[in-house]
Amino acid sequence: MRIEEKEYTKSIDISIWKKVFPFLAPRKNVLIMVIVMNILCSVVDIIMPLFQRQAIDSFIEKNTLAGLGGFIALYIAVIVFQMWSVICFTRGCMTLDVETGRDMKRALFVHLQKLSFSYYNATPVGYILSRVMNDVARITELIAWDVIDMLWAIFYVVGVLFLNWKLALVIMLIVPAIAVLTWYFQNKILTWNRQVRKINSKITSGYNEGIMGAKTVKSLVVEEKNFREFASVTEEMRSASIKAARLNAIYIPLVVFFGALATALVLERGGIMVLNGSMDIGTLAAFTAYQVGIFEPIQRLAGILSQCISAQANIERVMDLLEQKPNVVDRTDVLRKYGDAFSPNKCNWEK
């Protein structure tokens, strides 16, 4: 009897994400380095508009070039530092992506060797290949790049907020709106992405069975029947993918809209503060640059959060495979004396 794809119904569950931590543990130092470089990148991005403020206040407003050489030297030094931190950050993320993916695939390969024949008799090869290849790639890419990149967005937004607490209060108006939107959309997005991943396994299985069983298909002349079944599955995939894409297409623009609204309020409030003399023109110019730059991290936060919601389905599928138990296992005393196929204790083998 064929095993049907397990249905997942939980919303965001931290306990499921914790199952990925053992694969990240061997690269703890790399992860820490990446986070530090990420923070440094966000600090540099926050500093850059301040050079604009300094140029306006010290040179343009005062109509002087005194100190311009030191200003240019410092600016170049910051640019070089930014380049170095980005290089370190990128190399670290690549290391996390590649090596974590390698370890997860190795663990899955070893575990598959331990499963009983009954599992393979009941499970299509396509389901297994989809989990080992597609799901693992999605998980490692999300963790190594998107989740780490989300930290940059958070640090950048928080850093901008600390520049002026009055303007920070205006920007904080966006937080409740994003929270409500996330609460409403997360379960819907997760449900449809689970469905997409499930159907994708069926498509992979259909390809595998069509290729491996080509001789049988031609001998029995069932090409048309197989095509109808495959067309039905791909139509399900199209429908589920469109529904998932529509939810993302609504969620992210709404978050961006509220971000733009908050930015407009910041500019309006900042203009009033300049007219009142409580903020100089250089600071307003810096915030003008921030109001352009802050769109990207807000949009990125929304997009990454949406991807995290959908990626839980990938983690659930991979961990479900790793947690499959073989029906036939060696006794504990036999394992202790002789070991197993992967860790044999040859010194105790009978000659």
Side-chain angles (χ1 to χ4, degrees):
M1 183 178 71
R2 173 174 289 191
I3 295 177
E4 290 296 326
E5 183 84 355
K6 182 178 177 181
E7 295 288 345
Y8 302 103
T9 58
K10 289 185 178 181
S11 57
I12 290 296
D13 188 349
I14 299 300
S15 63
I16 293 175
W17 287 82
K18 286 182 179 179
K19 295 179 181 180
V20 182
F21 291 173
F23 296 99
L24 294 173
R27 278 154 293 281
K28 180 177 62 176
N29 293 336
V30 177
L31 182 61
I32 293 174
M33 183 272 291
V34 167
I35 293 175
V36 171
M37 291 298 107
N38 191 283
I39 295 174
L40 292 177
C41 287
S42 63
V43 169
V44 172
D45 289 335
I46 293 171
I47 289 175
M48 294 307 292
L50 299 182
F51 279 99
Q52 181 179 341
R53 182 182 69 178
Q54 183 67 21
I56 293 173
D57 292 342
S58 299
F59 304 116
I60 298 176
E61 284 286 305
K62 296 181 180 180
N63 195 26
T64 180
L65 296 179
L68 182 61
F71 175 84
I72 294 175
L74 180 60
Y75 186 81
I76 293 174
V78 171
I79 292 295
V80 172
F81 178 78
Q82 182 184 43
M83 180 179 66
W84 171 79
S85 60
V86 170
I87 291 174
C88 294
F89 169 76
T90 304
R91 292 185 62 181
C93 287
M94 290 178 64
T95 300
L96 287 176
D97 188 357
V98 174
E99 294 189 2
T100 302
R102 177 201 62 191
D103 290 353
M104 292 185 75
K105 289 177 181 177
R106 283 181 177 177
L108 287 167
F109 182 82
V110 171
H111 186 69
L112 286 168
Q113 310 308 304
K114 297 178 180 179
L115 294 178
S116 306
F117 289 129
S118 59
Y119 178 79
Y120 293 98
N121 290 335
T123 307
V125 176
Y127 284 90
I128 300 174
L129 288 176
S130 179
R131 296 185 184 198
V132 174
M133 303 304 295
N134 300 337
D135 290 332
V136 169
R138 177 75 187 281
I139 293 168
T140 55
E141 181 180 354
L142 178 75
I143 293 175
W145 296 97
D146 294 335
V147 173
I148 299 297
D149 208 27
M150 184 169 62
L151 296 177
W152 169 86
I154 293 174
F155 288 131
Y156 182 84
V157 173
V158 171
V160 173
L161 298 184
F162 272 108
L163 289 177
N164 189 297
W165 68 269
K166 293 181 180 179
L167 295 180
L169 293 178
V170 178
I171 295 180
M172 288 300 292
L173 293 175
I174 193 178
V175 175
I178 293 179
V180 171
L181 288 174
T182 302
W183 172 80
Y184 178 77
F185 278 97
Q186 71 166 341
N187 286 331
K188 294 180 180 294
I189 293 173
L190 182 56
T191 298
W192 282 109
N193 276 281
R194 282 173 176 150
Q195 188 70 11
V196 168
R197 301 311 304 169
K198 177 180 177 180
I199 299 173
N200 185 64
S201 293
K202 292 182 180 180
I203 293 176
T204 306
S205 178
Y207 270 117
N208 180 77
E209 293 174 2
I211 295 172
M212 299 298 294
K215 292 182 179 179
T216 303
V217 170
K218 292 180 179 296
S219 299
L220 298 177
V221 195
V222 292
E223 291 94 338
E224 185 177 353
K225 174 179 177 294
N226 283 2
F227 175 75
R228 288 197 304 268
E229 292 177 352
F230 189 78
S232 175
V233 174
T234 54
E235 177 59 26
E236 290 181 36
M237 181 69 166
R238 184 195 69 83
S239 178
S241 298
I242 289 176
K243 290 178 180 178
R246 282 175 178 170
L247 287 170
N248 279 286
I250 296 172
Y251 173 60
I252 296 176
L254 282 175
V255 173
V256 174
F257 167 75
F258 283 107
L261 182 61
T263 304
L265 293 174
V266 167
L267 292 175
E268 186 269 341
R269 180 60 184 170
I272 294 175
M273 293 171 67
V274 170
L275 293 176
N276 293 337
S278 57
M279 185 169 66
D280 56 45
I281 190 67
T283 301
L284 179 60
F287 262 96
T288 302
Y290 287 132
Q291 69 90 14
V292 175
I294 208 169
F295 274 106
E296 181 182 355
I298 290 177
Q299 185 176 5
R300 192 175 298 181
L301 279 172
I304 293 173
L305 183 58
S306 176
Q307 292 177 37
C308 288
I309 292 170
S310 65
Q312 181 171 304
N314 302 92
I315 299 176
E316 290 167 336
R317 286 157 48 86
V318 170
M319 296 307 159
D320 177 62
L321 176 55
L322 283 173
E323 291 168 359
Q324 289 288 331
K325 302 296 182 182
N327 295 330
V328 180
V329 295
D330 294 321
R331 297 199 314 266
T332 304
D333 58 322
V334 174
L335 289 173
R336 186 165 49 249
K337 182 176 181 180
Y338 299 107
D340 58 19
F342 297 95
S343 301
N345 192 5
K346 296 184 178 181
C347 62
N348 290 334
W349 289 10
E350 284 77 6
K351 301 295 184 181

